[in-house]
Amino acid sequence: MKKVFSSLLFIFCSFLVFGQSEDAIVGTYLKADGKSKVEFYKSGSTYSGKIVWLQQPNDKNGQPKKDVENSDKSLRERPLMGLITISGLKYAGAGSYIEGKAYRPAEGDEIKLKIKLNGDGTINVTGSKYGFSKTEVWKKQ
């Protein structure tokens, strides 16, 4: 009986992690620093993410924050709220999304991105640039 129960529990847990649909990433996530939320959505055959909440949405003058660090001067006036910061994520199976790009407004640059769904409502978001990688855990809201 123990073996049967253990086997069923393993199958159930495997389904939670690996049996997720490719759209399981869709939703809003609080970033690790707690300063913003990103909403993931399907865009054609890939997934994108846009800023939908900022802890401090306004600058020191009380105006909505803008993309002031962008290396392209013509884009520095666009508002951060609603800005698409993640694009091109492809579902690779088993809760993994690869080949994405993330624009980082604070740095004004773009990095490579991959995401792994966890079974607890969080995602591991791994950005890489110049061969260096950093992983953050974001929580689904």
Side-chain angles (χ1 to χ4, degrees):
M1 185 68 168
K2 254 186 187 178
K3 278 188 166 183
V4 171
F5 179 74
S6 296
S7 296
L8 289 173
L9 183 62
F10 175 77
I11 291 168
F12 176 73
C13 291
S14 295
F15 176 75
L16 287 176
V17 175
F18 300 110
Q20 299 167 336
S21 78
E22 66 181 74
D23 289 344
I25 195 171
V26 172
T28 302
Y29 293 82
L30 179 66
K31 291 181 65 177
D33 63 8
K35 294 180 179 180
S36 63
K37 293 180 184 179
V38 173
E39 178 184 5
F40 286 90
Y41 58 94
K42 193 163 190 174
S43 178
S45 62
T46 63
Y47 295 85
S48 298
K50 65 182 176 181
I51 298 172
V52 294
W53 177 84
L54 293 168
Q55 184 179 46
Q56 296 180 346
N58 297 326
D59 62 19
K60 62 185 175 195
N61 298 319
Q63 299 299 312
K65 286 186 176 176
K66 295 183 179 174
D67 191 12
V68 296
E69 298 298 327
N70 199 305
S71 58
D72 182 342
K73 290 180 182 181
S74 69
L75 298 176
R76 291 182 181 170
E77 288 298 312
R78 64 185 181 170
L80 289 184
M81 192 66 70
L83 184 66
I84 297 170
T85 56
I86 296 173
S87 62
L89 281 170
K90 296 178 184 175
Y91 184 66
S96 293
Y97 300 80
I98 59 172
E99 298 181 19
K101 294 180 182 178
Y103 172 69
R104 303 184 305 169
E107 289 80 12
D109 68 358
E110 190 174 85
I111 60 173
K112 294 179 183 178
L113 189 74
K114 65 181 179 178
I115 294 177
K116 177 73 174 160
L117 296 174
N118 300 318
D120 62 356
T122 62
I123 56 176
N124 290 347
V125 180
T126 303
S128 59
K129 187 172 181 177
Y130 305 128
F132 296 98
S133 296
K134 179 182 176 183
T135 301
E136 296 181 348
V137 178
W138 296 6
K139 186 175 183 180
K140 194 164 193 175
Q141 299 294 287

